Amino acid sequence: MQKTAIFPGSFDPFTVGHESIVRRALSIFDRIIVSVGYNSNKQGYFPLETRLEWISNVFKNEPGVEVTWFSGLTVDFCRKKDARFILRGLRTAADFEFERAIAQVNKAMDDSIESVFLLTRPEHTPVNSTIVRDIVRNGGDASKFVPPGVKLGEFKP
Ligand code: ADP
């Protein structure tokens, strides 16, 4: 049976840390659906369309990766996509506590879906989307924290 994982997140924007998790997980799953969670009450900094375009650039030569968005519960989206796995990355103990609660609640909602965690590479531990946004807002160069397909320099707020 094909193993499909949803990699849900805000990806505001997608970073080298996110990219590394997806590429490493390709040795575990046949198909990974990078899914930008959309919440109309919490628009985020980069528009949804921009985030999707950038992530699609990153994986344009990777047939095992799909890029899309969803709203609502991740477990409902997993069922819709016939995915039995939720992929997440862990950087720190704080990530673990946050992810533990979400994964246990997801498991309570749908026992057939497993959350799978990959530990970040040490060099990616300090990389996060909030810091990238702060650098961009203040006119700095955050390009080393994002994959080349994420064209921060072309973004006009
Ligand atoms: P969310 O808003 O759902 O936390 P994020 O876009 O911040 O979404 O992150 C999506 C997933 O990627 C989460 O599991 C997060 O822990 C993981 N992640 C974020 N940054 C990194 C990184 N530098 N290395 C590994 N995993 C990361």
Side-chain angles (χ1 to χ4, degrees), residues 15-86:
T15 68
V16 289
H18 296 131
E19 179 190 19
S20 164
I21 295 291
V22 174
R23 294 203 190 278
R24 288 166 56 204
L26 278 169
S27 65
I28 306 174
F29 303 108
D30 304 300
R31 184 164 74 121
I32 297 174
I33 308 177
V34 181
S35 309
V36 182
Y38 178 73
N39 177 345
S40 55
N41 296 320
K42 206 177 129 208
Q43 297 278 352
Y45 182 71
F46 296 104
L48 177 65
E49 292 70 28
T50 307
R51 285 184 241 173
L52 291 169
E53 186 188 319
W54 285 343
I55 305 168
S56 302
N57 289 342
V58 175
F59 297 111
K60 64 173 186 287
N61 296 320
E62 193 50 74
V65 177
E66 274 175 48
V67 180
T68 188
W69 67 278
F70 72 105
S71 59
L73 295 175
T74 309
V75 287
D76 288 340
F77 187 63
C78 287
R79 285 194 282 252
K80 190 173 153 199
K81 289 290 190 181
D82 230 355
R84 286 198 37 238
F85 302 93
I86 297 174

Side-chain angles (χ1 to χ4, degrees), residues 7-12 15 17-18 21 88-91 95 98-99 120 124-125 127-129:
F7 183 41
S10 315
F11 307 123
D12 189 23
T15 68
H18 296 131
I21 295 291
R88 298 285 285 178
L90 292 178
R91 289 161 294 187
D95 271 359
F98 180 72
E99 297 291 342
T120 188
H124 292 150
T125 305
V127 177
N128 69 63
S129 300

